[in-house]
Amino acid sequence: MANSAGSRKRARQAEKRRQHNASLRSMARTYLKKVIKAIEGGDKAAAEEAFKTAQPILDSSVTKGIFHANKIARNKSRLSAKIKAMA
């Protein structure tokens, strides 16, 4: 356990940040799942709408350092390709 006052404060801050980041990560994953569910449901309009709402959330999670930029770019690319393949 932390001994000095400064290190105790650091531990408190780290725990608060960890919980906040976990919340943001969970939210981003939820939006991804909504897009995937719409794609699997076969409803192209719903899939496009879900993708449109998920995109800014995923992008902001990258700028906040929650996910790596390439991972989100890969996910967005694959999802948009699946949506375009629906005809």
Side-chain angles (χ1 to χ4, degrees):
M1 186 60 203
N3 288 322
S4 67
S7 58
R8 282 195 294 270
K9 180 178 179 179
R10 268 284 158 221
R12 286 196 308 271
Q13 288 176 329
E15 178 60 20
K16 190 182 282 186
R17 286 197 187 98
R18 186 190 68 78
Q19 289 178 351
H20 185 250
N21 288 342
S23 170
L24 294 174
R25 193 177 310 117
S26 174
M27 181 180 68
R29 287 178 179 155
T30 302
Y31 276 93
L32 275 173
K33 286 176 192 170
K34 287 179 181 177
V35 178
I36 292 167
K37 189 174 182 182
I39 291 170
E40 288 173 351
D43 189 0
K44 187 172 183 176
E48 286 173 343
E49 192 61 38
F51 185 66
K52 202 177 290 185
T53 56
Q55 260 183 314
I57 290 160
L58 296 173
D59 290 336
S60 69
S61 70
V62 169
T63 59
K64 292 172 185 173
I66 306 298
F67 291 108
H68 195 279
N70 291 359
K71 176 178 180 159
I72 295 302
R74 182 176 66 242
N75 281 335
K76 286 181 357 186
S77 173
R78 288 178 181 172
L79 288 173
S80 64
K82 285 180 182 175
I83 291 170
K84 285 179 183 174
M86 297 169 71

